[in-house]
């Protein structure tokens, strides 16, 4: 649902590739570290799959809400784009938090968290099934309030575009910007599976809602960051990475003993399964 402007993303993509390549040169030449070429290539394939998945029209839910809207908010007023930005950030925060804590949405989002290294190439390793799982539901209230579905889609696209540069280990903490912006430092924490970092820093452009709702964690340089999933996916097959969790949900539901358990496997937090088995 992000790419109401898929052509725009395609036009920008070569610029992303240049930055991804520059980052690789710096990691190898300057940091004297290995660059995970294979993982980056898999991210590239998954990004193509994500782009193709946008063929499924997902603005239907937004249009439905818009057709029953309370007001019509014109973006011509000076305050309305600012209001839209703040509401998008607020909604994105809860959408992203739900994407981590409700397995139904996690099945699409874990794809983004599957790389075991952290670099720019991971930014567009995005799930293929967000349209099917109905993630547009989170943004329906904005259309119902009176923001046009196309404006919501463009605002989400810009939110996603912003997040490209925060997927790197090369940029250190950025002083006072760390207070209110989502920065590379904050997003490194988000992609880590260390116990004290997991399920933290859900913000898109702003980090203020994490500070407000108690999900903020500061990067601690003495704590070695472990990137990726708590149960890493061993395969490099894009289909297994993008669709595997749905298969697991289906298998768990079939093997469940009650409807309560079946519901838990689908909609409880992803770690509910382990807790349930204990
Ligand atoms: Zn996430
Ligand atoms: Zn990310």
């Amino acid at each position: 649902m992000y790419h109401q402007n898929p052509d725009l993303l395609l036009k920008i993509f070569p610029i992303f590739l240049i930055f991804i390549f520059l980052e690789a040169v710096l990691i190898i030449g300057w940091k004297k570290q290995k660059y995970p070429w294979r993982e980056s290539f898999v991210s590239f394939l998954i990004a193509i799959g994500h782009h193709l998945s946008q063929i499924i029209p997902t603005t239907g839910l937004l249009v439905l809400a818009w057709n029953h809207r309370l007001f019509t908010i014109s973006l011509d007023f000076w305050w309305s784009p600012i209001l839209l930005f703040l509401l998008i950030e607020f909604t994105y925060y809860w959408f992203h938090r739900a994407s981590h804590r409700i397995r139904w949405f996690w099945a699409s989002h874990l794809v983004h968290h599957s790389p075991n290294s952290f670099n720019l190439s991971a930014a567009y390793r995005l799930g293929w099934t967000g349209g099917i799982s109905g993630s547009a539901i989170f943004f329906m209230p904005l259309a119902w309030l009176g923001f046009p579905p196309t404006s919501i889609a463009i605002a989400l696209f810009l939110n996603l575009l912003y997040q490209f540069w925060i997927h790197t280990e090369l940029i250190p903490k950025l002083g006072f910007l760390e207070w209110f912006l989502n920065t590379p430092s904050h997003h490194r924490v988000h992609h880590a599976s260390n116990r004290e970092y997991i399920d933290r820093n859900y913000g898109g452009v702003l980090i203020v809602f994490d500070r407000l709702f108690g999900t903020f964690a500061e990067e601690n340089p003495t704590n070695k960051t472990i990137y990726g999933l708590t149960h890493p996916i061993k395969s490099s097959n894009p289909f297994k990475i993008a669709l595997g969790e749905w298969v697991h949900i289906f298998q768990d539901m079939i093997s469940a003993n009650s409807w309560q358990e079946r519901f838990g496997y689908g909609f409880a937090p992803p770690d509910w399964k382990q807790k349930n088995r204990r």
Side-chain angles (χ1 to χ4, degrees):
M1 69 162 300
Y2 302 105
H3 306 152
Q4 271 308 291
N5 293 314
D7 294 339
L8 188 63
L9 187 76
L10 274 188
K11 277 184 192 131
I12 298 170
F13 212 73
I15 302 171
F16 291 155
L17 288 179
I18 291 169
F19 278 106
I20 288 168
F21 186 71
L22 273 177
E23 189 197 31
V25 169
L26 286 173
I27 287 172
I28 298 163
W30 177 43
K31 291 278 175 183
K32 308 281 183 226
Q33 290 169 358
K34 275 192 182 161
Y35 187 79
W37 290 107
R38 186 187 175 90
E39 200 170 63
S40 291
F41 184 65
V42 173
S43 293
F44 174 71
L45 294 179
I46 293 176
I48 293 173
H50 172 78
H51 185 73
L52 293 175
S53 77
Q54 303 297 306
I55 294 165
I56 303 167
T58 50
T59 44
L61 289 172
L62 293 184
V63 172
L64 182 75
W66 166 255
N67 288 341
H68 296 87
R69 65 191 176 275
L70 293 177
F71 313 101
T72 302
I73 304 175
S74 162
L75 289 179
D76 293 340
F77 302 112
W78 66 267
W79 51 266
S80 47
I82 299 170
L83 181 65
L84 176 61
F85 168 72
L86 291 174
L87 288 174
I88 285 278
E89 283 301 307
F90 175 79
T91 313
Y92 179 85
Y93 169 84
W94 287 106
F95 158 64
H96 193 186
R97 191 165 168 173
S99 299
H100 278 257
R101 301 306 294 155
I102 299 174
R103 199 178 176 200
W104 176 264
F105 296 110
W106 174 241
S108 300
H109 187 60
L110 71 77
V111 179
H112 181 59
H113 286 272
S114 60
N116 297 309
S117 44
F118 190 69
N119 53 56
L120 292 175
S121 76
Y124 289 92
R125 183 191 277 237
L126 296 172
W128 300 353
T129 50
I132 297 166
S133 64
S135 37
I137 277 180
F138 290 89
F139 300 93
M140 283 175 81
L142 299 184
W144 181 65
L145 256 181
F147 288 103
T150 44
S151 308
I152 295 170
I154 290 168
L156 279 168
F157 174 71
L158 294 175
N159 171 306
L160 196 71
L161 203 60
Y162 170 86
Q163 293 193 47
F164 177 67
W165 76 284
I166 60 176
H167 290 86
T168 183
E169 287 195 287
L170 297 183
I171 299 176
K173 289 195 183 186
L174 297 171
F176 76 99
L177 295 178
E178 303 287 332
W179 276 98
F180 62 99
L181 281 185
N182 191 14
T183 60
S185 172
H186 296 329
H187 209 57
R188 286 194 283 272
V189 166
H190 180 66
H191 275 260
S193 54
N194 307 41
R195 187 180 275 271
E196 54 280 9
Y197 286 167
I198 205 155
D199 292 338
R200 290 287 176 264
N201 301 359
Y202 294 118
V205 176
L206 301 174
I207 200 71
V208 291
F209 294 113
D210 286 282
R211 293 186 185 277
L212 215 58
F213 298 122
T215 51
F216 175 72
E218 177 98 44
E219 186 183 35
N220 176 0
T222 58
N223 195 353
K224 188 177 165 26
T225 314
I226 303 156
Y227 295 109
L229 302 168
T230 49
H231 303 283
I233 302 172
K234 300 215 169 58
S235 172
S236 294
N237 180 338
F239 290 91
K240 280 194 178 162
I241 297 170
L243 306 171
E245 185 65 5
W246 290 107
V247 176
H248 294 148
I249 290 178
F250 187 66
Q251 286 169 340
D252 287 340
M253 283 186 166
I254 284 181
S255 69
N257 297 316
S258 65
W259 280 102
Q260 194 192 357
E261 219 176 275
R262 244 163 242 140
F263 183 83
Y265 282 136
F267 300 100
D271 57 359
W272 179 82
K273 185 176 162 179
Q274 288 100 295
K275 283 180 185 153
N276 188 44
R277 287 221 170 124
R278 250 180 241 148

